[in-house]
Amino acid sequence: MRRSIFEPEHEQFRATAKAFFETECAPHVEEWEAEGKVSRRAWQRAGELGLIGWEVPEEFGGLGLRDFRFNQIVSEEMFATGSTGIGLGIQNDIMASYLIGLTTDEQKKRWLPGYVRGETITAIGMSEPAAGSDLAGIKTTARREGDHYVINGQKTFISNGILADLVLVAAKTDPSAGRRGISLIVVEADTPGFTRGRKLDKIGQRATDSAELFFDDVRVPVENLVGEENRGFYHLVANLPYERLGIATYALPMARRALDLTLSYATDRKAFGTAIGKFQVNRHFLAEMKTKLEVAQSYLDQCVLAANAGELTAEEAAGLKWWTSEVQWEILDRCMQLHGGYGYINEYEIARLWRDSRVQRLYGGTTEIMKDLIGRSMGF
């Protein structure tokens, strides 16, 4: 499909990203899946190559370049070589908005240089055992005591939770105020009282570590408050469109990778003496997937440009997230079906892609929540 949104500098960046995923990541996928986490060396190498934190101001080690097309390219090249498991999306698509847009110069000086170099891995602690999409329902508290907050609570489903050096924690600084009492506070990994629970045993995305996090009288300096006290809910809501845009940039490259694998398989695999792709029903399935992928790609590209212009709305991001993740799942499930019994065998990449894709309809807000947000914006 013809795409006209990229400039020459984007293609130069793409070449760097492609080489990184092919040489530094793809050879280690099975090892990382077995260990349940990516090596820190891969993170540091990504930092050395400029694949982390290009939005960061130059004085703190970045390029001062805010352009979501670079985020998009990282996702596309990651899945062009197969799902590699390194959680750069958390670092670039989610945490950048908080660590750049809401921090003081002193905080930037402390946190951003290591973040850009890939030495400081980050995570965001929102979800709890009894609060997922309902951010107002979180139970974690941060009580002010002099020059410190004392944090107590638990988080779960935290991506990069095992490796993270910094965790941006959503906690209630005014429990009586509901969503108006939430603040965002950075907890550093060596802070007493902060512990990591079990590494969660997931169906898919096994190389991307996810964990439970516990906070037991964790004393954090007030200087670690990000944004305004008791305005955390609004900071989270303002940044969710970029998280959902990032999820969409994962969805379509994963679907495209699956379709490419399936086209190759449908050409080589024969039944009754004929390549299975030549059977009319399969040919129609392949045509449908190709068309839906191209339509969704155009939709995504326009949303990326809208984000760059500061015009992407919460409703548009919600629509993009649910549509692309549902198209992704439809394509992955159909591609697995076309592989027949081999699609269910782990040594075939399609099996891993199928497992890795399922969660896309859940995190960042489920499909049902996305539809509800859009419906409410329509006055219902």
Side-chain angles (χ1 to χ4, degrees):
M1 184 182 69
R2 293 178 297 277
R3 298 170 68 191
S4 58
I5 70 168
F6 298 115
E7 305 294 340
E9 60 266 28
H10 297 115
E11 298 308 331
Q12 294 171 7
F13 181 81
R14 185 185 297 279
T16 300
K18 178 180 175 64
F20 168 74
F21 289 118
E22 287 181 345
T23 61
E24 306 285 345
C25 295
H28 304 289
V29 170
E30 291 186 9
E31 171 192 345
W32 293 344
E33 289 232 325
E35 294 182 358
K37 61 181 181 180
V38 174
S39 73
R40 281 187 170 270
R41 176 56 188 155
W43 279 90
Q44 292 164 7
R45 185 63 179 145
E48 291 169 5
L49 293 171
L51 299 178
I52 299 174
W54 47 84
E55 293 185 33
V56 170
E58 292 185 40
E59 60 264 39
F60 303 110
L63 298 175
L65 187 60
R66 184 176 176 85
D67 183 345
F68 214 89
R69 287 174 290 185
F70 291 105
N71 304 59
Q72 189 176 15
I73 288 167
V74 168
S75 297
E76 290 179 355
E77 294 307 316
M78 179 186 297
F79 292 106
T81 55
S83 175
T84 58
I86 188 167
L88 296 181
I90 302 295
Q91 199 95 331
N92 288 325
D93 302 345
I94 298 176
M95 290 298 294
S97 296
Y98 298 98
L99 293 182
I100 299 169
L102 294 175
T103 49
T104 64
D105 285 344
E106 186 275 332
Q107 290 171 332
K108 288 181 173 67
K109 184 177 180 180
R110 270 198 289 154
W111 297 328
L112 289 182
Y115 164 89
V116 172
R117 292 193 298 266
E119 298 169 359
T120 300
I121 299 172
T122 61
I124 185 165
M126 290 191 286
S127 296
E128 297 184 1
S133 297
D134 179 18
L135 293 176
I138 65 173
K139 304 297 183 185
T140 299
T141 60
R143 183 180 71 256
R144 180 74 179 263
E145 286 189 1
D147 294 333
H148 289 78
Y149 291 107
V150 180
I151 302 176
N152 285 280
Q154 177 182 355
K155 300 293 180 179
T156 194
F157 309 137
I158 306 306
S159 299
N160 291 347
I162 296 294
L163 290 175
D165 302 291
L166 298 179
V167 181
L168 183 66
V169 177
K172 285 189 173 175
T173 40
D174 184 356
S176 66
R179 69 182 60 185
R180 294 181 177 85
I182 296 174
S183 298
L184 303 179
I185 303 168
V186 164
V187 175
E188 294 164 283
D190 58 355
T191 308
F194 169 56
T195 57
R196 308 172 206 263
R198 61 196 175 104
K199 182 173 59 185
L200 299 176
D201 185 13
K202 301 175 295 184
I203 293 173
Q205 298 196 9
R206 301 182 68 85
T208 304
D209 64 290
S210 298
E212 298 173 316
L213 305 179
F214 298 93
F215 307 87
D216 184 11
D217 287 336
V218 176
R219 295 182 64 84
V220 178
V222 295
E223 289 81 11
N224 282 21
L225 174 71
V226 172
E228 297 180 51
E229 188 175 77
N230 297 328
R231 293 285 299 174
F233 177 83
Y234 304 99
H235 296 323
L236 291 168
V237 169
N239 285 305
L240 275 173
Y242 292 93
E243 177 179 352
R244 290 164 181 161
L245 179 61
I247 292 170
T249 68
Y250 269 47
L252 298 191
M254 291 178 79
R256 189 176 301 280
R257 175 68 173 178
L259 182 56
D260 288 344
L261 292 171
T262 304
L263 288 171
S264 178
Y265 183 83
T267 300
D268 296 337
R269 176 68 170 170
K270 290 182 171 56
F272 308 105
T274 302
I276 64 170
K278 290 185 178 295
F279 292 115
Q280 185 183 63
V281 64
N282 292 341
R283 189 164 62 242
H284 287 187
F285 282 140
L286 293 168
E288 288 174 8
M289 289 188 288
K290 179 178 185 293
T291 303
K292 288 182 179 181
L293 187 55
E294 291 184 352
V295 171
Q297 186 69 68
S298 180
Y299 182 15
L300 170 58
D301 287 351
Q302 292 307 307
C303 285
V304 167
L305 294 179
N308 283 352
E311 298 172 353
L312 182 68
T313 67
E315 294 77 23
E316 288 169 340
L320 176 72
K321 193 270 178 185
W322 87 255
W323 181 260
T324 53
S325 63
E326 291 291 340
V327 167
Q328 173 192 13
W329 180 247
E330 179 185 345
I331 290 174
L332 260 295
D333 200 51
R334 177 58 61 189
C335 286
M336 185 184 185
Q337 185 76 10
L338 287 170
H339 275 75
Y342 291 104
Y344 205 65
I345 305 301
N346 281 326
E347 67 183 80
Y348 280 74
E349 186 182 334
I350 193 68
R352 177 160 49 83
L353 285 169
W354 183 82
R355 294 195 313 270
D356 289 353
S357 291
R358 183 58 183 86
V359 73
Q360 290 264 116
R361 300 160 69 201
L362 299 175
Y363 57 22
T366 66
T367 293
E368 293 74 21
I369 292 291
M370 297 300 95
K371 291 179 180 179
D372 200 52
L373 287 173
I374 298 166
R376 290 183 182 184
S377 74
M378 298 167 69
F380 297 104

